[in-house]
Structure formats: structure tokens, C-alpha cells
Amino acid sequence: MTLVAALLEAFFTERLQHQRNASPHTIAAYRDTFRLLLTFVQDRLHKPPSALLLADLDAALVASFLQHLEKQRRNSMRTRNARLAAIHSFFRFVALQEPAHSWTCQRVLAIPTKKFERKLITSLTRAEQEALLAAPDQTTWLGRRDHAILMLLLQTGLRVSELRDLRCADVVLTTGAHVRCRGKGRKQRITPLTRPTAAVLRTWLSERAGCPGDPLFPTRSGRPLSRDAIEHRLATYAKTAAATCPSLSAKKVTAHTLRHTAAMQLLHAGVDTTVIALWLGHEKVDTTQIYLHADLAIKERALARTTQRPAQPGRYRPPDAVLAYLESL
């Protein structure tokens, strides 16, 4: 029988790193999936991962693991499906390497992804944006750094990972000011900057005084900000801004919320969805359709252009008091 350990090592080194040239983010996501899976299997079978056989990882056990993610770990359907995608990728590799186990692989590969409810996106109004931008204390170094972060996120719609990886050289403030980033799927893109955003970044770069390869938004020790640190700062400022703009208290403000806000601003300005997809770095234009679904103003304008069908409302007649009494018995 084939040990899982040897197949996992070949999967990460041969398939992901050499054949697919997978990004570090993909490798880290797959690594976390199998850490969770092997820990679950160890608890369930009382068998160390180094001694697991491929036959131990049957479809029933994988299905139990997915159920564990939903029930015990309270993971969302998106997370559950992402974990399953990593497992499917591994078993497709195993089916090629170990044809004798193709039946086991096919049963695992037959486990479907789950459909989930797609909620409307959350974006910020103009008043909420202004309150959020005013939240950082710009008399401090941290406040000026965070104000520049908020300005950049609201105008460009960068992902938090793209913001974190920015270097000083990625901001070009000459004619045609823009910011360069390396996005999802290793796609590089350029996003133009407005004059106010360029002015804020010019001041920040002057104060930052870093080398071209240094992080654009560092910690006090000079290291790049982590994803958690960025999200924590946003949550803190959202709480502060809610004191002057109470509607913010009903919204969960994350970096992705600011990304949605940037997209909605472009949509309200009449920018075509194909251009918005390029702006945000969407691989498929279909992804950008979520903003059309969320934009009530566009639907109201479409309604105003339609011909209204005349209708005569019916007249309500209250029931007889005696009949109403008998019906209530």
C-alpha cells in the first residue's frame, strides 16, 4: 500500500512547485488544508499522519472532514469549497501517480462543491468615506501612514494582499501618476491615481524616505504590515468614525469593503463593467456583475425609463362584525 506522506511530498514539490509553478499563497492555502485534514484523520483513526495509507483517506472520511469544517469549525461554504478544491487537486495527482487507486480517487473527486447564498456586497456612502478618512490622527506618524492607506484603498480598490506587498518604487508620481501591483494569479496591473491621492502619497513618500525596494507602508520597525494588522487598523478607525457617522456602526468595514466602495464609485460614474474588471484585476468580467446587482440607483433609473402599466387598486371592505367574531372563534 502507498503511504500518504510520500504522495503529499511529491504533490507539493513536483506538482505545485515545479509543474504548476504555484504562487506562495496557493501553496500556503493547500498546506493549511492538509494540516487540518491530517489532524482530523489522526484524531479519528488514532494513527499518525506519517503512517497513513492512501486507503485510509477514502471518500467517507473526506466527507466527514468537510462536515467537521462546517459544524465544529463553523467555516463558511466558500472556505469549505476551497478546502475541497485543494483535496481534489491532490487526488487528481494521485490518480495519475497511482492508477491502482483510481477507484478511491474517483470517489473523492465525485464529492461536489456546495452552493451557497450570495449576499449583496457592502460599500460605503460618501459621508461614511469622509468620516473614515478623518478617523486617523494625522498629527502622528501612524495616523499619516494610515490616512494614506485609506486614501489608496478607497480610490484604487487594491486587495489587502496587494497593498501589503507594495514597495516605494511601485508608486509613480510623475505625469500620469499610478501605482503598480502584482495581483491575484500573479497578474501585474497599473491603476491610475487621482490628484488628491497622489498628493497624499507624495507627502507620505517624502516622510517615509525609504529605498525603492522598501515596503511602502511599514511598521515602526520597518517590516511590511501584515494582513491582520491592516484589518485591525481598519476596524479601529471604523469604530472611531461611527461616533460622527452612526451608519458605520451597522457595517463591517474591511479592506474588501473599501474595494467594493471603489468599484461602486466607478459604476456610479458611468464606467463600463469591463473597465471596472480591469481596474480591480478580475480575471472574469462576470465577477464584476455583483456590483450591478447591488446598485439600486441603476435599477431605479432603469425603472424610470420603462412604461408604467396603469392599475386600479382594489377597495378594501371590512368584514361584517358578526362574521368577524365567528371567524375568530
Side-chain angles (χ1 to χ4, degrees):
M1 298 297 287
T2 306
L3 288 173
V4 172
L7 289 169
L8 268 178
E9 183 178 355
F11 174 67
F12 276 94
T13 56
E14 182 181 339
R15 172 56 65 90
L16 294 184
Q17 295 183 18
H18 296 156
Q19 295 179 3
R20 290 183 55 186
N21 192 26
S23 69
H25 296 296
T26 299
I27 293 175
Y30 281 32
R31 174 205 64 199
D32 293 342
T33 294
F34 284 99
R35 284 172 61 187
L36 289 171
L37 175 61
L38 295 181
T39 301
F40 172 81
V41 173
Q42 183 178 20
D43 294 340
R44 180 64 63 90
L45 301 182
H46 306 290
K47 198 173 183 180
S50 57
L52 283 176
L53 301 175
L54 187 59
D56 295 327
L57 293 180
D58 57 10
L61 192 60
V62 172
S64 298
F65 168 67
L66 297 174
Q67 190 76 2
H68 166 76
L69 293 179
E70 294 179 48
K71 303 300 181 182
Q72 276 70 48
R73 293 183 63 85
R74 305 289 184 182
N75 288 162
S76 66
M77 288 298 106
R78 289 179 183 272
T79 302
R80 181 260 189 201
N81 289 343
R83 301 299 187 198
L84 179 58
I87 294 171
H88 278 173
S89 181
F90 171 68
F91 275 91
R92 281 192 293 269
F93 171 76
V94 172
L96 296 174
Q97 298 295 315
E98 300 289 338
H101 297 284
S102 59
W103 175 242
T104 299
C105 296
Q106 289 303 318
R107 292 194 63 189
V108 173
L109 291 172
I111 299 175
T113 57
K114 278 193 174 183
K115 293 185 177 180
F116 52 89
E117 180 182 353
R118 297 181 182 271
K119 298 180 179 179
L120 290 177
I121 63 169
T122 300
S123 61
L124 304 185
T125 64
R126 176 64 64 178
E128 290 168 345
Q129 295 176 50
E130 296 302 327
L132 188 64
L133 287 170
D137 181 6
Q138 295 188 57
T139 62
T140 67
W141 183 87
L142 283 177
R144 290 188 292 274
R145 181 201 67 184
D146 294 346
H147 178 73
I149 289 175
L150 292 173
M151 284 285 292
L152 187 62
L153 288 177
L154 282 169
Q155 193 251 293
T156 61
L158 292 177
R159 297 180 178 92
V160 66
S161 58
E162 296 166 348
L163 177 81
R164 179 194 60 199
D165 295 339
L166 286 179
R167 297 293 181 262
C168 293
D170 292 329
V171 178
V172 178
L173 298 176
T174 54
T175 303
H178 62 270
V179 60
R180 296 188 297 258
C181 73
R182 192 180 189 186
K184 206 172 182 179
R186 296 183 178 180
K187 297 188 295 291
Q188 293 188 351
R189 72 176 189 276
I190 295 176
T191 306
L193 298 173
T194 61
R195 288 184 179 180
T197 304
V200 169
L201 289 177
R202 184 176 290 107
T203 302
W204 167 248
L205 280 171
S206 178
E207 181 177 2
R208 168 75 178 85
C211 297
D214 290 341
L216 178 61
F217 299 114
T219 61
R220 286 192 178 278
S221 59
R223 292 175 297 181
L225 280 169
S226 67
R227 174 189 293 267
D228 290 342
I230 295 171
E231 295 290 7
H232 174 71
R233 303 296 292 179
L234 288 178
T236 301
Y237 291 131
K239 186 176 180 180
T240 302
T244 57
C245 187
S247 60
L248 275 171
S249 58
K251 295 182 177 180
K252 183 179 180 182
V253 180
T254 65
H256 226 65
T257 306
L258 305 192
R259 178 173 169 81
H260 292 327
T261 302
M264 293 298 283
Q265 289 181 134
L266 292 171
L267 193 63
H268 290 160
V271 179
D272 189 79
T273 54
T274 55
V275 178
I276 298 176
L278 291 172
W279 187 287
L280 298 179
H282 286 163
E283 187 169 351
K284 298 179 180 179
V285 179
D286 294 345
T287 309
T288 316
Q289 299 300 316
I290 59 173
Y291 302 110
L292 290 174
H293 290 293
D295 191 6
L296 183 60
I298 288 180
K299 297 174 184 177
E300 289 175 339
R301 288 197 296 269
L303 180 64
R305 289 194 292 266
T306 61
T307 302
Q308 303 299 315
R309 182 181 294 107
Q312 185 68 29
R315 183 178 179 183
Y316 173 73
R317 297 180 182 278
D320 183 84
V322 177
L323 292 177
Y325 165 72
L326 292 175
E327 290 175 0
S328 67
L329 295 178

